[in-house]
């Protein structure tokens, strides 16, 4: 399947999915964070949506934090590695991201095409998985598939914003029920709070680290190699190996880590 760069209709559709609660079940609501789950016809697909209100943080700062790969390495403790592969247009690129799964599951990784759009008081970032010939699946990771993942940032006044995170992922494996429950009850809320804390510290950090470098805002600063859409194909879930981890038991020592705030 050929890769298509999202257009305005795709961004509008994503925004509507973030804002519309129909068909979603709230699984967590505490401390300004809400997590919803949605049952999909395909049981392999996990669909989650989260929302957090970020006081004393501007929408612009939150947008910068989500884009800034160098800063992500400071706050995203679930991440193993991330890097940009190349740019497609002024507002689309391809990148790699690997993350730690709850033990004893195997870690997952993704190659995704990401696109972004500032739209009035809103900022949107969306991605989906693609295949790049130079970045095939790795031996020590399970290559997972993002069917649609992204962020919607909405400004609420001059110094407050709301962040939605929606993810529709095929983790390529039969996951035990405790993993799905733990993600919605502990991992997802903790991740949202982590982003909020990272935003509060970002202005000071950025002042000391290339304060004027923001290639996501100023395309002329982008030094990534140009790649063609023709080099990419959509990553289909059924072309990747499935692994059965449904019988794995939860390791209690990691549970306490998820409950930290």
């Amino acid at each position: 399947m050929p890769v298509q760069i999202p257009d305005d209709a795709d961004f509008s559709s994503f925004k509507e999915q973030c804002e519309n609660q129909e068909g979603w079940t709230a699984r967590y609501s505490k401390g300004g964070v809400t997590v919803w789950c949605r049952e999909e016809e395909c049981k392999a697909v996990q669909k989650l949506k989260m929302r957090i209100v970020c006081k004393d943080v501007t929408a612009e700062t939150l947008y910068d934090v989500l884009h800034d790969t160098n800063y992500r390495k400071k706050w995203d403790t679930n991440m193993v590695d991330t890097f940009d592969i190349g740019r497609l247009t002024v507002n689309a690129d391809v990148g790699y991201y690997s993350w730690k799964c709850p033990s004893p599951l195997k870690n997952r990784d993704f190659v995704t095409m990401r696109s972004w759009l500032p739209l009035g008081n809103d900022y949107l970032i969306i991605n989906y998985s693609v295949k790049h010939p130079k970045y095939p699946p790795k031996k020590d990771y399970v290559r997972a598939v993002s069917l649609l993942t992204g962020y919607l940032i909405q400004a609420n006044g001059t110094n407050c914003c709301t962040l939605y995170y929606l993810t529709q992922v095929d983790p390529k494996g039969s996951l035990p029920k405790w993993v799905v429950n733990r993600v919605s009850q502990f991992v997802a809320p903790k991740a949202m709070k982590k982003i909020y804390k990272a935003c509060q510290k970002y202005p000071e950090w950025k002042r000391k680290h290339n304060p004027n470098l923001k290639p996501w805002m100023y395309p002329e600063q982008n030094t990534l190699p140009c790649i063609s859409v023709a080099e990419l194909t959509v990553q289909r879930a059924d072309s990747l190996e499935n692994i059965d981890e449904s019988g794995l038991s939860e390791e209690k020592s990691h549970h306490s880590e998820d409950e930290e705030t």
Side-chain angles (χ1 to χ4, degrees):
M1 291 176 65
V3 168
Q4 293 188 327
I5 295 170
D7 58 18
D8 288 355
D10 295 314
F11 282 106
S12 296
S13 171
F14 178 79
K15 179 181 175 182
E16 196 273 334
Q17 287 187 64
C18 288
E19 295 177 323
N20 189 350
Q21 309 307 335
E22 189 176 337
W24 293 86
T25 303
R27 297 289 301 274
Y28 178 99
S29 185
K30 198 186 298 181
V33 180
T34 307
V35 180
W36 296 269
C37 295
R38 186 178 182 121
E39 288 290 327
E40 293 295 290
E41 288 182 20
C42 174
K43 295 296 182 186
V45 174
Q46 307 297 323
K47 195 165 186 179
L48 283 177
K49 177 165 66 176
M50 298 151 239
R51 181 184 65 199
I52 185 171
V53 176
C54 300
K55 298 173 182 175
D56 302 319
V57 171
T58 67
E60 292 86 351
T61 295
L62 183 39
Y63 186 61
D64 289 347
V65 166
L66 294 174
H67 270 291
D68 198 324
T69 303
N70 290 325
Y71 188 58
R72 181 174 281 271
K73 293 168 183 174
K74 294 282 183 187
W75 64 267
D76 188 352
T77 54
N78 292 323
M79 183 186 76
V80 179
D81 190 20
T82 188
F83 54 85
D84 298 322
I85 294 170
R87 58 176 161 156
L88 295 162
T89 67
V90 292
N91 70 323
D93 63 17
V94 176
Y96 174 86
Y97 180 86
S98 56
W99 58 289
K100 299 174 199 162
C101 282
S103 186
L105 303 184
K106 279 191 165 187
N107 291 340
R108 262 66 176 173
D109 69 354
F110 298 85
V111 173
T112 61
M113 190 214 67
R114 180 181 63 160
S115 188
W116 55 93
L117 184 71
L119 197 65
N121 290 328
D122 299 337
Y123 295 88
L124 296 100
I125 305 171
I126 58 179
N127 77 55
Y128 64 85
S129 285
V130 295
K131 280 200 283 192
H132 189 291
K134 293 182 180 176
Y135 298 91
K138 293 182 174 185
K139 181 178 65 173
D140 298 328
Y141 289 88
V142 176
R143 178 62 51 89
V145 178
S146 166
L147 301 171
L148 176 66
T149 297
Y151 302 93
L152 166 64
I153 306 163
Q154 297 182 312
N156 303 331
T158 55
N159 204 32
C160 180
C161 61
T162 299
L163 170 65
Y164 288 90
Y165 173 66
L166 185 149
T167 181
Q168 187 174 357
V169 168
D170 186 336
K172 295 312 299 172
S174 302
L175 298 178
K177 190 75 175 174
W178 63 262
V179 171
V180 180
N181 290 338
R182 197 162 117 201
V183 166
S184 63
Q185 295 294 315
F186 299 104
V187 179
K190 183 181 177 185
M192 295 298 274
K193 290 171 187 172
K194 239 182 227 172
I195 292 172
Y196 184 16
K197 286 182 181 177
C199 289
Q200 292 172 317
K201 296 175 181 177
Y202 182 71
E204 183 182 352
W205 181 90
K206 188 61 177 170
R207 274 194 291 273
K208 301 172 184 174
H209 299 83
N210 297 315
N212 298 316
L213 183 64
K214 295 183 180 183
W216 53 92
M217 296 287 284
Y218 310 111
E220 65 276 9
Q221 296 178 346
N222 197 323
T223 58
L224 288 173
C226 291
I227 57 176
S228 167
V229 173
E231 296 177 52
L232 309 170
T233 52
V234 174
Q235 177 66 74
R236 292 172 56 89
D238 57 13
S239 69
L240 293 167
E241 180 187 5
N242 258 317
I243 62 167
D244 186 359
E245 297 175 302
S246 58
L248 295 176
S249 300
E250 184 173 11
E251 293 189 0
K252 295 296 181 185
S253 60
H254 290 265
H255 197 85
S256 59
E257 290 177 16
D258 292 337
E259 295 184 82
E260 293 172 10
T261 55

